[in-house]
Amino acid sequence: GAVVSQHPSWVICKSGTSVKIECRSLDFQATTMFWYRQFPKQSLMLMATSNEGSKATYEQGVEKDKFLINHASLTLSTLTVTSAHPEDSSFYICSAAVAGLDTQYFGPGTRLTVL
Amino acid sequence: GENVEQHPSTLSVQEGDSAVIKCTYSDSASNYFPWYKQELGKRPQLIIDIRSNVGEKKDQRIAVTLNKTAKHFSLHITETQPEDSAVYFCAASMAGGTSYGKLTFGQGTILTVHP
């Protein structure tokens, strides 16, 4: 149980284009989803927290107009990287949690490469 | 906000030896401390966690200890095996309030177990 999927697993795009990444909880309803970014050989950095039906809460330094997050249902959250640039190339990982429980279940990650 | 420091950044041991990774946290309100194992290009996998009302927890070869007064917690792996080689991350979070569920990660430890 507690499986989280992400799609796509990898994507290559041209600079200036937008990319959407989906995060789904497959066998449970996630009241909260988190989006992380991980650069090579670095730790996971929280970008934003999203609750179903509410606006996402962004961490300091993360541009909310560049990283659009939508959490329209209890099983789906999306991250859209708008006008992507090479410096946005990274490993993006989502996680999902249930209200009242500490454990976060991580997705497999999406490798974004911006040319 | 919370700050988590993790040491060492790299750890090399011989198969069968023990490995210890240490983390300190800054916010005394944190009450949940998970440890994750991440293999290259894959999602973080929860290997053990501990809550602030417990001082020690063990699961087969893995144990975690927590010292709330000193605000530090440690991961202990005994009888290490080559398949334990990976990057290990500690994290801290607190329940309640606007920070509920937000994980702050340590910098990571690259563990290499030599056969």
Side-chain angles (χ1 to χ4, degrees):
Chain A
V3 178
V4 176
S5 70
Q6 272 183 251
H7 179 82
S9 56
W10 59 270
V11 57
I12 301 173
C13 69
K14 292 182 179 180
S15 186
T17 60
S18 294
V19 174
K20 180 185 284 189
I21 302 169
E22 292 185 348
C23 176
R24 293 181 185 272
S25 56
L26 299 184
D27 51 3
F28 68 102
Q29 294 186 323
T31 47
T32 305
M33 287 186 171
F34 303 88
W35 286 95
Y36 297 86
R37 181 166 53 182
Q38 186 177 33
F39 292 109
K41 299 185 179 180
Q42 293 189 22
S43 187
L44 286 81
M45 296 298 295
L46 180 66
M47 299 175 67
T49 303
S50 77
N51 293 293
E52 185 262 340
S54 302
K55 288 185 178 180
T57 302
Y58 291 80
E59 294 300 298
Q60 191 172 6
V62 178
E63 300 174 58
K64 62 180 181 181
D65 295 330
K66 181 171 182 62
F67 299 99
L68 302 178
I69 292 172
N70 183 279
H71 192 163
S73 76
L74 286 172
T75 59
L76 173 64
S77 177
T78 60
L79 168 67
T80 301
V81 183
T82 62
S83 186
H85 291 285
E87 56 266 32
D88 298 322
S89 298
S90 188
F91 193 48
Y92 291 87
I93 309 175
C94 70
S95 71
V98 177
L101 300 180
D102 298 318
T103 305
Q104 290 186 26
Y105 301 95
F106 283 85
T110 297
R111 175 76 56 192
L112 170 64
T113 302
V114 185
L115 302 177
Chain B
E2 176 64 278
N3 182 52
V4 178
E5 296 288 330
Q6 182 172 346
H7 298 281
S9 56
T10 61
L11 180 58
S12 182
V13 300
Q14 289 295 127
E15 182 176 2
D17 287 350
S18 295
V20 180
I21 302 171
K22 298 182 179 182
C23 288
T24 59
Y25 62 98
S26 61
D27 194 333
S28 57
S30 290
N31 56 11
Y32 175 62
F33 308 93
W35 285 89
Y36 292 89
K37 175 184 180 182
Q38 187 181 31
E39 297 177 351
L40 189 62
K42 297 192 175 180
R43 78 184 83 196
Q45 290 185 305
L46 178 68
I47 56 172
I48 197 166
D49 56 13
I50 193 167
R51 289 168 177 80
S52 59
N53 58 347
V54 176
E56 184 174 356
K57 183 177 179 180
K58 188 174 181 180
D59 182 4
Q60 299 183 343
R61 297 186 297 110
I62 296 173
V64 57
T65 58
L66 171 65
N67 183 326
K68 285 192 300 181
T69 303
K71 289 190 282 189
H72 67 69
F73 56 113
S74 301
L75 176 71
H76 304 253
I77 305 174
T78 59
E79 300 172 29
T80 54
Q81 302 165 2
E83 49 266 38
D84 293 330
S85 296
V87 182
Y88 290 80
F89 292 99
C90 63
S93 76
M94 69 177 103
T98 58
S99 298
Y100 179 73
K102 280 177 49 173
L103 286 173
T104 300
F105 283 84
Q107 296 85 347
T109 296
I110 301 172
L111 174 64
T112 304
V113 181
H114 299 282

